[in-house]
Amino acid sequence: MQHLPIVCAGEYDDDKPLAVFAVVADAERYATLYNLERGYGLEDGDRARVEHLPAYPAGDPGMSGHEITIRGAHWSCTCGRADWGGSEQDSREQAARHIAHWIPAAEQVALPA
Ligand SMILES: [Zn+2]
């Protein structure tokens, strides 16, 4: 998995994505020009900004975006999912259930100790 820069306009997470870029510098330049063109300053809610989206190569329907970390009763995944299991055992079971939806059992590696 890699992350590609995108430019979004607006203040909120679900605001409109405008474009996807291969290189962060281009995305930042695009956002700057977009804001300049419209006269948007730092305080404008509609201004464009750079965010990052996971990007997967052909043949990878999101599988490579899941790496689990377990810290006691808490687990987290590189996809952003995280939860509190109550105990380390329950935390491991929750993490295993999460990853089972993404990665075929035959390809799963053991959860980290
Ligand atoms: Zn995940």
Side-chain angles (χ1 to χ4, degrees), residues 24-104:
V24 176
D26 291 340
E28 286 172 348
R29 185 74 184 134
Y30 178 100
T32 299
L33 295 172
Y34 179 98
N35 292 331
L36 270 178
E37 183 211 331
R38 287 161 180 77
Y40 291 159
L42 289 174
E43 304 302 315
D44 281 297
D46 288 332
R47 74 194 316 271
R49 67 187 190 280
V50 177
E51 302 266 343
H52 291 84
L53 264 193
Y56 301 95
D60 179 356
M63 288 163 55
S64 64
H66 301 273
E67 279 179 43
I68 301 280
T69 302
I70 294 187
R71 285 199 184 83
H74 186 266
W75 66 274
S76 60
C77 184
T78 47
C79 72
R81 283 292 305 274
D83 212 339
W84 174 260
S87 70
E88 181 169 342
Q89 180 62 30
D90 289 344
S91 171
R92 287 179 178 280
E93 286 171 13
Q94 282 184 6
R97 278 198 297 278
H98 164 66
I99 214 162
H101 290 90
W102 291 97
I103 301 177

